[in-house]
Amino acid sequence: MDQQPAATSQVLVLHGPNLNLLGTREPEVYGHQTLAGINQALTELAAARQAALHIRQSNHEGVLIDTLHEMRGQVQGLLINPGAFTHYSYALRDAIAATGLPAVEVHLSNIYAREPFRQHSVLAPVCVGQISGFGWRSYILGLNALLDIIQNS
Ligand code: DQA
């Protein structure tokens, strides 16, 4: 029998507020890697794993929500670093839940080792899981986990 080529998995990657400043933003907390560098590493991983990424960054809650609405029928999973929205955006939480997509929440810093207000995620309950504290590698770990879920389901 002929082997069918593996279908390409479509993944939405969302970066929330202030992540456009990575590289210069509090490098002692978030590292020296830029957002462009992270996106490049993710794109290379995706290519090696038969996946295509749709990558967006916004500093605006409504734009992130609109993007989720727009992309929900076009992707099979969501990788998200919600930035500070992690800690208080019920609107973003509802939007993730509304997509019905498997979502992986990632953070560069270990949010549980930081200020009390960062130690709670209102989004985590609507995500499959969360990866926090591995710097830019959190994204790599998160994408691998998400693709394991999407491609084995
Ligand atoms: C962050 C952690 C958040 O508390 C913070 O507001 C961010 C970045 C992280 O990746 O470590 O903007 O999501």
Side-chain angles (χ1 to χ4, degrees):
M1 226 169 35
D2 285 344
Q3 198 77 24
Q4 292 291 322
T8 303
S9 308
Q10 305 289 327
V11 170
L12 176 60
V13 178
L14 276 187
H15 304 285
N18 301 307
L19 295 169
N20 53 310
L21 299 182
L22 286 180
T24 57
R25 176 193 180 199
E26 298 178 86
E28 66 287 359
V29 178
Y30 299 115
H32 293 275
Q33 182 65 275
T34 61
L35 191 62
I38 291 172
N39 289 338
Q40 177 66 31
L42 287 174
T43 302
E44 284 167 17
L45 172 61
R49 291 205 55 175
Q50 286 77 47
L53 305 182
H54 306 261
I55 303 175
R56 308 275 192 279
Q57 187 276 329
S58 179
N59 295 322
H60 305 276
E61 188 179 25
V63 173
L64 294 168
I65 292 168
D66 285 345
T67 304
L68 283 165
H69 293 181
E70 191 188 307
M71 297 300 293
R72 73 191 148 144
Q74 299 176 51
V75 295
Q76 286 94 50
L78 169 69
L79 182 71
I80 183 166
N81 183 346
F85 290 140
T86 304
H87 314 298
Y88 66 92
S89 178
Y90 298 117
L92 191 55
R93 172 192 167 127
D94 284 353
I96 293 170
T99 65
L101 293 169
V104 174
E105 177 186 332
V106 299
H107 299 283
L108 298 132
S109 62
N110 177 358
I111 60 172
Y112 300 99
R114 299 188 62 195
E115 303 96 318
F117 78 88
R118 293 189 203 276
Q119 295 177 17
H120 180 65
S121 168
V122 301
L123 308 184
V126 297
C127 293
V128 178
Q130 184 198 71
I131 295 170
S132 175
F134 297 93
W136 65 271
R137 291 177 185 82
S138 291
Y139 283 91
I140 300 295
L141 295 165
L143 182 59
N144 270 315
L146 182 63
L147 290 174
D148 285 352
I149 290 163
I150 294 171
Q151 294 176 341
N152 293 324
S153 62

